[in-house]
Amino acid sequence: MPKVLHLDMDSFFATVEQQSRPSLRGRSVGIAPVDSPGGTIVAASIEAKKFGVKTGTKVAEARELIPDIVILPPTPNKYRVVHRRFRSIMQEYRGICKPRSVDEIALWLEPSEWDRASEIGVDIKQRIRDEVGEWLSSSVGIGPNWLLAKTACSIRKPDGLLEITEGNRRDILAELDLTDLCGIAGRMAARMNLAGIRTPLDLHDMKPWELKHRLGIIGYYWHLRLNGYAIDTEDWATKTLGHSSVLPRPTASPEDLKPLLHKLCHRIARRLRQDSWLAQGLVISGSMADWGDRWVHSVKLNPTQRRDELFQTAWGLLKSRPPAAPLRKLAVTTYNLRPANPKQPSLLETDRRTHSALIGTDAVNDRWGEFTVIPAAMMGTEEVAGDAIAFGQDLRLQRETLDS
Amino acid sequence: MGPMTLADKVSVLAKFDDGKLVPIIMRWRGRRYWVQGVNLHHVENRGGDKIHYFAVSTEIGDATLSYSQDEMYWRLVETNFFE
């Protein structure tokens, strides 16, 4: 049977901070971009998790649970450095390596390595401690496909290793809820419950035709996944490109959201130019303060990679259809990307000059750091949305893996 | 209380060992501190300059030293010495 090895660094951001500051080891640590009572913990140390502090807990709430918790700001560069180090260890093994996020990497082992998958898992965990940092613990899951490997990994956290095999698969699935499976959240679980499917074991054991009848093709796919088939193709293509940021305080006012909108559009335009894409569609969206409803609007674009054009479109949407309630998070995403053709300059002199100016400012920002040169329209936005690290799939890290 | 952020210039005795720069002794505010171990080293680009950050342990606590490759300055950027 094929073997996929999924590695997840335990409480990654907090553990890296404890690695660099031994005095914090064994203590409760929370990582929060803003150390104010309303700030949100984005990562908690293993010690803090034992007291109920987790991702999403408010700083004030965390201090009530653990009065002496140490709150630190995130240091994204440090996390990227540690990610690169444990990734380079994993790349030494025979297989295809793919980062799933900054703290998770999956390794599709070559057939010659299938028999020693557990041994490789133990080896990688130890090498991370020896070569990257002695405090950095990780959990490893092994399975015949990525979903089962990730499931195995999440069962034995922290510092665990579990392999799901044909022999133990049913026993392990019997202990889980539907929402323990990556890809099944509240709504999907409710839909499955309505269809009479209450546990992962139901999905595993039920006849495929019956699942198809009850849930449609999705039910059949879940049956295949849980029975060890690798049906999910790994798609590396870029389909959308976007940025988002959590607001320091919820607001529905377009004027208050304007500086952040400028910055998000600037970042997207930079990445469109770096990767030679033209965006042909834009979505502006936000999460309401209670993390309940979402505010979403989209529009088609003339192909562009310019900040001012993205901003004007997004600003037009925001002003004409402002959110009904204060937003906690604002996101701008471009879609329907098509490759830019650098060999075909615009016929218009003004467009050519603008393009040259953008290439020039990009070169300055590449060398001297982001936002060294900014358009006049962005003055005063310096303090808004600093460097951040993606929780989900980080395209920058994935590209590095492909290039290495 | 969390670590304290600073930007004090410090004198550092360091060695180049197997292609790596390793701080050994730091002098700060008239006192000498022995570096007992480097817990994490990472590099950040600042324009054309490279800043090396060393998270170190000393006999009285943790500290982070930075070294600017262009300016050839060492700075103490973080410490928990006063906790």
Side-chain angles (χ1 to χ4, degrees):
Chain A
M1 267 249 185
K3 293 279 171 75
V4 181
L5 187 152
H6 181 89
L7 178 130
D8 188 343
M9 299 299 291
D10 302 323
S11 303
F12 184 51
F13 297 175
T15 314
V16 170
E17 299 301 343
Q18 289 174 317
Q19 171 60 38
S20 57
R21 303 175 179 100
S23 59
L24 297 179
R25 295 178 190 176
R27 289 177 66 180
S28 295
V29 175
I31 309 296
V34 185
D35 184 2
S36 67
T40 306
I41 305 265
V42 295
S45 66
I46 294 166
E47 298 82 358
K49 282 178 181 170
K50 286 179 189 158
F51 290 94
V53 176
K54 54 188 179 189
T55 303
T57 304
K58 296 279 172 218
V59 170
E61 225 177 293
R63 287 216 162 96
E64 259 174 45
L65 292 167
I66 316 168
D68 65 344
I69 188 170
V70 177
I71 304 292
L72 298 170
T75 45
N77 270 328
K78 220 189 271 182
Y79 311 145
R80 288 188 194 110
V81 166
V82 174
H83 170 92
R84 287 183 190 114
R85 288 190 193 149
F86 73 77
R87 185 185 64 198
S88 73
I89 289 175
M90 290 188 76
Q91 283 176 317
E92 288 179 30
Y93 295 86
R94 293 165 72 182
I96 297 170
C97 198
K98 184 181 175 187
R100 309 298 304 201
S101 66
V102 70
D103 62 341
E104 293 181 15
I105 295 186
L107 177 63
W108 279 259
L109 291 167
E110 281 186 5
S112 60
E113 308 296 83
W114 290 352
D115 287 345
R116 50 186 292 265
S118 289
E119 198 185 309
I120 290 173
V122 172
D123 200 36
I124 290 173
K125 278 162 61 69
Q126 191 55 46
R127 284 189 61 193
I128 291 172
R129 283 192 190 276
D130 294 344
E131 298 170 32
V132 190
E134 71 275 16
W135 195 256
L136 298 173
S137 76
S138 56
S139 299
V140 166
I142 298 162
N145 59 28
W146 175 73
L147 179 90
L148 288 175
K150 163 120 178 136
T151 305
C153 183
S154 59
I155 293 171
R156 288 279 162 85
K157 280 183 91 47
D159 201 15
L161 188 148
L162 177 65
E163 178 169 354
I164 294 184
T165 61
E166 215 154 348
N168 66 9
R169 196 167 62 217
R170 286 194 84 259
D171 294 340
I172 289 170
L173 292 177
E175 300 290 313
L176 302 178
D177 293 326
L178 285 171
T179 49
D180 290 330
L181 300 175
C182 178
I184 299 184
R187 282 183 192 176
M188 175 59 84
R191 192 179 148 194
M192 288 181 170
N193 286 339
L194 277 175
I197 296 148
R198 310 222 165 258
T199 66
L201 208 52
D202 293 340
L203 285 169
H204 180 273
D205 288 350
M206 217 174 261
K207 295 269 181 279
W209 60 265
E210 196 174 346
L211 274 169
K212 211 167 165 182
H213 175 69
R214 291 191 190 194
L215 274 176
I217 195 72
I218 291 171
Y220 177 56
Y221 287 158
W222 274 106
H223 174 79
L224 291 178
R225 287 185 192 110
L226 295 185
N227 277 280
Y229 293 93
I231 61 158
D232 299 299
T233 52
E234 289 300 316
D235 189 355
W236 296 68
T238 303
K239 290 176 185 156
T240 62
L241 212 154
H243 273 281
S244 65
S245 184
V246 174
L247 294 149
R249 57 181 180 82
T251 177
S253 152
E255 283 302 328
D256 289 347
L257 293 166
K258 197 175 181 180
L260 177 58
L261 194 62
H262 264 302
K263 227 159 192 179
L264 296 177
C265 292
H266 176 89
R267 286 213 168 105
I268 294 169
R270 283 267 288 149
R271 282 177 53 197
L272 287 168
R273 290 194 294 274
Q274 274 170 358
D275 298 349
S276 293
W277 292 112
L278 290 168
Q280 301 182 104
L282 179 142
V283 181
I284 180 167
S285 62
S287 307
M288 301 302 184
D290 58 359
W291 298 108
D293 286 343
R294 275 171 63 77
W295 166 81
V296 185
H297 291 288
S298 68
V299 69
K300 285 186 177 173
L301 291 170
N302 284 326
T304 185
Q305 50 181 202
R306 281 172 54 172
R307 179 206 60 86
D308 55 338
E309 291 177 351
L310 295 178
F311 175 77
Q312 286 308 332
T313 308
W315 179 237
L317 284 173
L318 180 60
K319 269 207 316 190
S320 60
R321 296 159 201 179
L327 297 183
R328 163 71 66 191
K329 183 178 173 187
L330 183 68
V332 179
T333 307
T334 53
Y335 65 93
N336 200 1
L337 306 180
R338 78 160 210 228
N341 181 359
K343 289 182 184 160
Q344 190 176 328
S346 168
L347 289 172
L348 302 173
E349 170 68 15
T350 48
D351 279 358
R352 288 202 298 273
R353 288 175 62 177
T354 305
H355 187 71
S356 301
L358 288 172
I359 300 298
T361 53
D362 282 350
V364 172
N365 287 334
D366 285 343
R367 184 168 170 78
W368 297 100
E370 207 57 70
F371 304 115
T372 302
V373 178
I374 55 168
M378 281 180 63
M379 280 176 71
T381 63
E382 292 84 353
E383 299 303 315
V384 181
D387 186 18
I389 197 152
F391 268 111
Q393 299 205 12
D394 190 320
L395 293 173
R396 185 159 32 156
L397 297 174
Q398 287 186 357
R399 263 200 310 273
E400 280 180 9
T401 313
L402 279 174
D403 294 343
S404 58
Chain B
M1 187 180 149
M4 191 167 83
T5 309
L6 310 154
D8 291 3
K9 279 186 186 169
V10 287
S11 302
V12 170
L13 178 68
K15 66 173 176 178
F16 284 93
D17 189 13
D18 196 17
K20 286 181 191 159
L21 174 62
V22 183
I24 302 167
I25 301 172
M26 164 182 85
R27 179 182 281 279
W28 179 56
R29 295 185 183 173
R31 220 193 120 173
R32 252 192 334 199
Y33 301 88
W34 278 87
V35 173
Q36 293 170 330
V38 177
N39 304 308
L40 196 72
H41 166 231
H42 78 282
V43 183
E44 288 182 12
N45 292 324
R46 193 174 297 161
D49 196 3
K50 273 191 184 344
I51 312 290
H52 293 253
Y53 289 92
F54 298 89
V56 301
S57 296
T58 73
E59 64 270 36
I60 63 158
D62 308 333
T64 302
L65 292 164
S66 76
Y67 175 71
S68 155
Q69 214 166 278
D70 261 18
E71 295 177 333
M72 296 208 286
Y73 276 129
W74 285 89
R75 286 179 198 275
L76 177 66
V77 292
E78 193 185 284
T79 173
N80 70 344
F81 290 175
F82 304 111
E83 267 194 301

